[in-house]
Amino acid sequence: MKFLKNITDAQRPTYSTLYDPIKLLLQRAVCVAMTMILFGCTTFVEVDPPKNTLVSETVFNNAATVESALANLYFDIREQGMVSGTTGLTPVLGIYSDELDYYGFNTDLPQFYRHDLLASNGITTNWWSQAYHTIYGANDIIRGVEASEVLSIDNRKKFRGQALFIRAYMHSLLVSIFGDVPYIESTDYLENNKVSRMAAEEVYGNIIADLNRAIDDMEGLEPTSDERVLPDHFVAKALLARMYLYVENWDMAISLSSELIDHFSLEDDIDNVFLKDSRETLWQLKADAQYPLNTREAEQLIIRSIPGQTYALTEDLLVVFEANDLRKDRWVGSVSDTENTTTLFFANKYRAGINETESLEYSIIFRLSEQVLIRAEGRARLGEITRSRADLNAIRNRSGLPDNTGDTAGELLDDIIRERRIELFTEQGLRWFDLKRTDMADQVLGALKPNWQPTDVLFPIPESELEANPNLLPQNGGY
């Protein structure tokens, strides 16, 4: 197996040119906490930092301010970088793979669609810098919580567990996209500015270790959120199951996914899967109270008129759906131009528009369907055909499809990868990660993308980072 090998903002700190972000983090944390206390705010907010100097001891002596520091990280994850935002994983990796066609006018996005990505691309630069900025914030919370003599034991465990999960999650995305990357556990920015890249295998090992620590910290504690907008030990297990799948530890992938399948359940009605109270959601990002009220996905992917579209589902994806698949009927929308000469199809999983008076949908990052398919794949790779097929059929039957009848592990694995493509389309770049980890990217995209090169399985390390820190060299091949 092969390991998983925007906007430019001059004011945003990059990983290799780290300022001292602790001051900004703590200033925001205390200010957010005061805002929540004074106004009863239940969403993540950004406010101008106070003019007085704050010290970390003050923040980590109070559970409310630590919660606000974590809330600031979730706000950044939702609004910036690769996870969500305007140029997040879903649209960018959708056009980089075989899910989405691109019709827009952004300067950087066509490079992904055409597969002529440059090391100076503003989106990849932003992804890198914002991810390490978030990691730095998580590391500082870990350091501060561990040093606190005032926080209760349960609070220390809860906060450290969430921060460890964030650190592992952001590194899991970085290694999946860039290959060998630094794994940062320090808040010494001078040391971090000269760090070298780490082999992908070692990065995965560190991710798995962090997730096991996070699970140990958070397991047995009271749920952090009824809306599942904060990660808990179940969410850490979901990411850990995914990581074990990626490193081909089938037994552990099966074990972790089974724990989640035993605790949660699939939605019977696929119309309910992407609602904010879906029972199969493991972790979701709460909607912005201002704009948009619901999800970035609905804002970006729904086509309201032609012309005017930015993304549309590819014909290559549409033809994979079987007849009578409810997901094509319910999760795919279409619109035609006024002359009815052109019809385009779009992802309609998130349907609530920006003019709703209340949030109906949150952006789902982990859901149970992925775990069912993880277990199905793990079982198939171990030759457990009957049990694997039962997992696969749980997804198919909900979608109105008959049972799968594959008799061999090879047939079943092909069917599972195809089912993942349909069930998880336009969700966090999972299709792209599947093409990479199964060594299918060259075969599939080589036939679809005229500029495709085998080296495209890795994105370039941003050239600004290489210039600031030569220890990150060499550049990934092909760039």
Side-chain angles (χ1 to χ4, degrees):
M1 139 183 198
K2 210 163 33 175
F3 278 92
L4 298 184
K5 307 188 182 169
N6 31 145
I7 310 299
T8 302
D9 182 352
Q11 301 303 314
R12 182 179 292 118
T14 63
Y15 164 68
S16 292
T17 55
L18 283 173
Y19 62 131
D20 187 358
I22 177 59
K23 291 182 180 178
L24 179 58
L25 175 66
L26 299 177
Q27 288 170 349
R28 284 183 176 179
V30 172
C31 199
V32 169
M34 292 304 298
T35 303
M36 294 171 70
I37 292 168
L38 292 173
F39 299 105
C41 179
T42 59
T43 58
F44 304 150
V45 294
E46 263 195 324
V47 291
D48 291 333
K51 300 188 182 303
N52 59 302
T53 301
L54 300 170
V55 293
S56 61
E57 288 77 7
T58 301
V59 171
F60 295 110
N61 284 345
N62 187 297
T65 52
V66 180
E67 287 176 344
S68 297
L70 282 162
N72 187 68
L73 294 185
Y74 300 133
F75 179 94
D76 284 346
I77 287 172
R78 190 193 66 203
E79 299 296 320
Q80 325 236 8
M82 68 179 78
V83 178
S84 186
T86 305
T87 52
L89 294 166
T90 293
V92 175
L93 295 185
I95 63 175
Y96 197 74
S97 61
D98 54 357
E99 292 188 315
L100 296 172
D101 288 321
Y102 180 67
Y103 297 90
F105 302 99
N106 178 281
T107 302
D108 292 313
L109 283 169
Q111 294 179 23
F112 294 91
Y113 187 53
R114 297 191 307 254
H115 278 261
D116 54 10
L117 191 58
L118 300 177
S120 59
N121 185 277
I123 292 173
T124 55
T125 300
N126 179 57
W127 281 10
W128 177 283
S129 63
Q130 189 63 32
Y132 279 111
H133 173 75
T134 302
I135 289 166
Y136 191 103
N139 285 338
D140 193 68
I141 290 172
I142 294 168
R143 179 195 60 80
V145 165
E146 289 179 340
S148 175
E149 298 179 354
V150 177
L151 293 172
S152 69
I153 293 175
D154 280 357
N155 276 333
R156 288 203 298 270
K157 292 170 65 177
K158 177 177 68 175
F159 298 145
R160 183 175 63 183
Q162 289 185 50
L164 284 166
F165 168 81
I166 293 172
R167 183 167 80 186
Y169 178 54
M170 299 311 298
H171 279 110
S172 78
L173 300 178
L174 286 164
V175 70
S176 296
I177 291 164
F178 297 102
D180 298 349
V181 294
Y183 200 94
I184 302 302
E185 301 174 282
S186 169
T187 55
D188 184 340
Y189 64 93
L190 295 176
E191 175 186 328
N192 291 342
N193 285 345
K194 57 185 180 181
V195 74
S196 301
R197 294 160 68 188
M198 184 182 293
E201 292 89 340
E202 191 174 353
V203 175
Y204 279 111
N206 286 342
I207 292 169
I208 289 169
D210 269 352
L211 290 173
N212 278 310
R213 289 179 62 199
I215 292 167
D216 287 343
D217 275 346
M218 295 189 288
E219 200 158 26
L221 299 179
E222 290 296 317
T224 53
S225 168
D226 291 338
E227 292 187 300
R228 308 215 60 80
V229 295
L230 297 176
D232 56 17
H233 70 284
F234 292 118
V235 181
K237 288 178 180 179
L239 178 56
L240 186 54
R242 183 190 291 177
M243 294 297 97
Y244 279 131
L245 185 77
Y246 286 8
V247 301
E248 300 185 355
N249 187 331
W250 315 125
D251 287 317
M252 288 304 299
I254 292 169
S255 176
L256 269 295
S257 59
S258 293
E259 288 188 46
L260 296 167
I261 293 166
D262 290 344
H263 192 272
F264 295 87
S265 58
L266 295 173
E267 282 285 352
D268 296 325
D269 186 343
I270 64 172
D271 283 331
N272 297 332
V273 170
F274 292 93
L275 297 179
K276 65 180 181 181
D277 57 355
S278 170
R279 68 188 186 191
E280 73 174 69
T281 296
L282 305 177
W283 183 37
Q284 57 191 349
L285 298 176
K286 193 166 186 175
D288 190 343
Q290 302 301 319
Y291 177 87
L293 189 58
N294 285 280
T295 66
R296 302 293 183 197
E297 289 81 2
E299 177 192 14
Q300 295 172 86
L301 299 181
I302 292 176
I303 301 175
R304 315 227 176 243
S305 63
I306 301 174
Q309 75 279 9
T310 303
Y311 307 100
L313 297 178
T314 63
E315 180 65 22
D316 194 64
L317 171 60
L318 293 170
V319 299
V320 179
F321 286 90
E322 298 174 45
N324 302 317
D325 191 329
L326 293 175
R327 292 169 296 191
K328 187 171 185 181
D329 180 53
R330 310 291 178 81
W331 292 354
V332 175
S334 65
V335 64
S336 300
D337 60 3
T338 54
E339 293 80 18
N340 286 320
T341 58
T342 300
T343 298
L344 295 177
F345 296 84
F346 57 88
N348 201 31
K349 290 179 169 179
Y350 297 97
R351 304 173 186 177
I354 61 176
N355 296 320
E356 299 287 343
T357 57
E358 66 171 313
S359 296
L360 305 176
E361 301 166 344
Y362 297 161
S363 297
I364 297 171
I365 309 300
F366 289 93
R367 61 187 181 97
L368 190 64
S369 293
E370 181 195 0
Q371 298 300 313
V372 175
L373 291 168
I374 285 174
R375 189 170 74 174
E377 182 175 343
R379 285 173 165 175
R381 293 188 182 277
L382 292 179
E384 300 176 14
I385 304 302
T386 301
R387 301 176 79 187
S388 172
R389 196 164 49 216
D391 285 333
L392 177 58
N393 288 334
I395 301 296
R396 289 179 57 81
N397 294 164
R398 181 180 68 175
S399 304
L401 297 176
D403 284 349
N404 177 275
T405 57
D407 289 328
T408 68
E411 290 175 346
L412 200 52
L413 284 168
D414 289 343
D415 292 342
I416 290 167
I417 296 299
R418 183 169 60 250
E419 202 68 35
R420 285 179 62 92
R421 183 182 186 186
I422 297 169
E423 177 70 20
L424 304 173
F425 76 92
T426 62
E427 292 187 43
Q428 297 290 304
L430 291 175
R431 168 62 175 172
W432 167 244
F433 298 145
D434 281 350
L435 289 175
K436 291 180 61 179
R437 70 181 178 84
T438 59
D439 294 327
M440 293 170 56
D442 198 37
Q443 172 191 343
V444 171
L445 298 183
L448 293 176
K449 303 275 190 173
N451 294 328
W452 169 263
Q453 298 293 327
T455 51
D456 291 347
V457 294
L458 295 178
F459 284 15
I461 305 299
E463 65 179 10
S464 58
E465 300 296 331
L466 296 178
E467 291 171 358
N469 178 15
N471 291 331
L472 296 174
L473 290 165
Q475 175 63 275
N476 286 330
Y479 303 99

